[in-house]
Amino acid sequence: MRYNRSTLIGTPLFLKNQKLNFSTYPLKNSRPITVSNNIYIKNPWPLLRDCAIKYTRTKTQKEAAVAAVEQSRQFMTAAQSVKLSSAYPVLLYYSLFNLVKCHAYISNALSPLQRLNHGLSAVNGYSTDLDSTHEIEVFNDDPKSSRNAFALYASLCDAKKSARKITLRSFSRSILIGHRTYCEAANISEKFIAARDPQFHQSLNRKGKQNGPMVTFIVSPDDMSRCNISEKSLLRVCGMDSKWKVITKELYFSQHALVIGVHLRTVPSRNALDMPTKIRELSKITSSKLWTVANTDAPNFRRYYFHANAIDTLPQRVAEFAFLFYLGSMARYHPQKYNDLTNGKYGPFINEYLSNAAAQIVYVTGSAIAKRILAQPSVANI
C-alpha cells in the first residue's frame, strides 16, 4: 500500500497545461518556455553533433565543437572494438575527454585557441588499492593560457573547487556502477542510497493556496540501514544544506519511508512569472546531490541515488573523469600494474564498471550537452 504524496504535500506541478515530471533538465531552452521531454535515441552522436552547432556562437567554436564530438565518437568506436582489453580504459577516457571539450565550447568556457590539458597527474605513481589515500595531483587552471580539463569540467558540473591533491578513495567511492562489488573488495559499508520516486509538486499552504514548487524523493529504511545511516544524520552525511528537509513519512511497500525534498516558495502575485526560474533553481539544487544511472526502463529512464559520504567524495561526473584518467594512465604507462589491478580483489568492480561505462558516458554526459535527458529506448518507446 502507498499513499499519494500529492494529497499529503500539494498537487502535481503543471507548466502551461503540461505536467512536469521529474528531470534534471526539466525545461527547454526555448521561447516560450516549455516542459522538456526525454529524447529517445539509439544513436546519440548525430544529435550531439547538431547540439555542437546549435549551442555555439562563432564559426570557430562550431567547428571545434563538432570536431570534438566526432573525435569522441571515433574513440568510442575504437573502444568497442577492443572491449575490456588494457587499451579500453585509455580509449574510453579520450572519448570522455572530447565530450568535455564539446561541453566547454558550447558553454563558452573554453576558446578553440586554448590548449586543454588533462589537469591531473599521477606523479606519485600508481596504487592498486583503490580505497587508499594514495594521492593524484591536480594542476591549477589558468584561463589565460592552457586550461585544466579536470577543473574546467568540475566548474561545468557546478562542483566546488577541488584541492591541489585528490585521493583514490575520494573518486573511487563515487563510482556508482559496480559500487557493491567495490565495497565488498574494500570491506566497507555501501555508500549509495536510492532516491526513489522523484516528483515535482505545487505545494499548498494551510489555506490551500499555491505556495511554490517542491521536489521530493523517497528514502527507504532498508537503504539507510544498509549504509549504516540514521534518519537524523541522513541530510548531513549526504552533504545537503538547509534547503533540504525531511518533509514527512510515507508508507512505501509496507515500510514507513522518509520523504525528503526541497521547497522554494514563490510570491503569490508573481507565481506564474517566478515558476520557471524556481523550477530551474530546484533542478540545480537537486542535481548537485544526485548520482545518476541511465537505463532503458520507463518512466524516467534514469535511476537516482544520494551518496552517504558526499562531503568527502567527488561529484559523480567529475569522479568518473578522474577514475577513467587513472585507469587509462595506468594501462598506458604501467600495463603490468593495470594487470595486477584487474586480476586483484578490485577486478570484479573494474570489469563491471568498464562493461557499462560506454553507455553512461554517452547518455549521461551527452544529456549535459543536449540539455535534455537522452534515453536509450526499447523499440516500443521510439
Side-chain angles (χ1 to χ4, degrees):
M1 177 182 178
R2 292 185 54 196
Y3 295 123
N4 182 350
R5 251 175 296 163
S6 294
T7 63
L8 297 172
I9 297 172
T11 61
L13 185 58
F14 285 82
L15 186 69
K16 299 192 176 183
N17 299 320
Q18 280 188 287
K19 184 179 178 182
L20 193 66
N21 295 316
F22 179 78
S23 170
T24 48
Y25 306 96
L27 303 177
K28 290 182 182 178
N29 287 334
S30 61
R31 291 285 184 267
I33 296 173
T34 55
V35 172
S36 176
N37 298 313
N38 294 349
I39 300 176
Y40 304 108
I41 188 165
K42 287 284 189 180
N43 177 15
W45 296 107
L47 175 66
L48 294 178
R49 183 183 185 279
D50 289 346
C51 291
I53 297 171
K54 179 180 178 181
Y55 295 132
T56 45
R57 301 176 184 179
T58 67
K59 180 182 177 182
T60 307
Q61 280 182 324
K62 293 181 190 299
E63 291 173 346
V66 168
V69 169
E70 177 58 21
Q71 194 165 78
S72 178
R73 185 193 67 79
Q74 291 174 358
F75 276 121
M76 186 63 72
T77 301
Q80 298 301 325
S81 68
V82 296
K83 198 161 188 178
L84 297 185
S85 71
S86 59
Y88 189 59
V90 182
L91 295 168
L92 276 186
Y93 169 73
Y94 279 105
S95 180
L96 175 59
F97 182 86
N98 278 278
L99 284 182
V100 170
K101 286 175 69 174
C102 177
H103 192 182
Y105 290 138
I106 68 174
S107 302
N108 205 34
L110 180 68
S111 165
L113 300 178
Q114 290 176 303
R115 179 179 176 181
L116 189 64
N117 297 317
H118 302 294
L120 299 171
S121 176
V123 291
N124 297 318
Y126 300 89
S127 171
T128 57
D129 183 2
L130 296 180
D131 203 58
S132 71
T133 56
H134 185 79
E135 292 180 333
I136 306 298
E137 186 173 348
V138 180
F139 295 132
N140 286 328
D141 183 36
D142 184 2
K144 294 182 180 179
S145 58
S146 60
R147 302 300 304 273
N148 174 340
F150 176 77
L152 184 59
Y153 194 36
S155 68
L156 293 173
C157 297
D158 294 318
K160 65 181 180 180
K161 188 176 180 181
S162 177
R164 289 297 307 274
K165 293 181 180 180
I166 55 176
T167 64
L168 289 186
R169 179 182 297 170
S170 70
F171 56 81
S172 298
R173 288 188 179 185
S174 196
I175 302 301
L176 181 52
I177 300 171
H179 179 71
R180 183 163 293 174
T181 56
Y182 174 88
C183 291
E184 290 176 356
N187 195 27
I188 59 174
S189 60
E190 293 181 32
K191 304 300 177 186
F192 285 107
I193 302 171
R196 304 175 190 274
D197 200 15
Q199 292 183 21
F200 281 122
H201 307 273
Q202 173 62 274
S203 66
L204 304 176
N205 62 22
R206 293 179 180 179
K207 296 181 179 180
K209 294 185 178 180
Q210 293 182 350
N211 196 28
M214 173 184 285
V215 62
T216 60
F217 304 86
I218 288 179
V219 177
S220 80
D222 281 349
D223 286 339
M224 287 188 287
S225 176
R226 190 174 61 251
C227 296
N228 295 323
I229 301 299
S230 67
E231 292 184 10
K232 290 184 178 180
S233 64
L234 174 66
L235 300 185
R236 176 179 56 81
V237 299
C238 291
M240 297 168 181
D241 60 22
S242 59
K243 296 184 181 71
W244 289 82
K245 305 291 182 185
V246 175
I247 298 166
T248 186
K249 285 191 176 183
E250 177 175 315
L251 198 61
Y252 186 81
F253 293 104
S254 302
Q255 292 183 315
H256 288 281
L258 292 184
V259 178
I260 69 172
V262 179
H263 175 208
L264 297 178
R265 290 177 173 81
T266 56
V267 179
S269 62
R270 293 177 54 83
N271 192 285
L273 296 174
D274 285 352
M275 191 60 69
T277 301
K278 293 295 184 182
I279 290 170
R280 286 198 172 101
E281 188 178 349
L282 267 182
S283 176
K284 185 174 181 179
I285 292 170
T286 54
S287 296
S288 67
K289 301 302 178 186
L290 289 175
W291 271 249
T292 305
V293 171
N295 59 29
T296 58
D297 300 332
N300 293 323
F301 293 86
R302 290 291 190 272
R303 292 195 183 114
Y304 299 104
Y305 297 83
F306 300 120
H307 199 291
N309 192 22
I311 298 172
D312 298 322
T313 53
L314 297 178
Q316 180 182 14
R317 284 189 284 149
V318 180
E320 195 145 11
F321 183 94
F323 188 62
L324 278 175
F325 166 83
Y326 187 74
L327 291 185
S329 181
M330 182 190 288
R332 183 178 179 185
Y333 297 111
H334 293 275
Q336 73 281 8
K337 277 208 167 184
Y338 181 77
N339 290 337
D340 291 342
L341 175 65
T342 55
N343 293 326
K345 64 179 183 179
Y346 291 104
F349 162 64
I350 299 293
N351 184 74
E352 179 68 16
Y353 171 74
L354 292 179
S355 296
N356 294 278
Q360 299 303 311
I361 289 172
V362 175
Y363 282 93
V364 176
T365 309
S367 293
I369 292 172
K371 303 173 185 178
R372 303 271 298 275
I373 292 291
L374 304 186
Q376 188 174 6
S378 62
V379 174
N381 300 117
I382 297 177

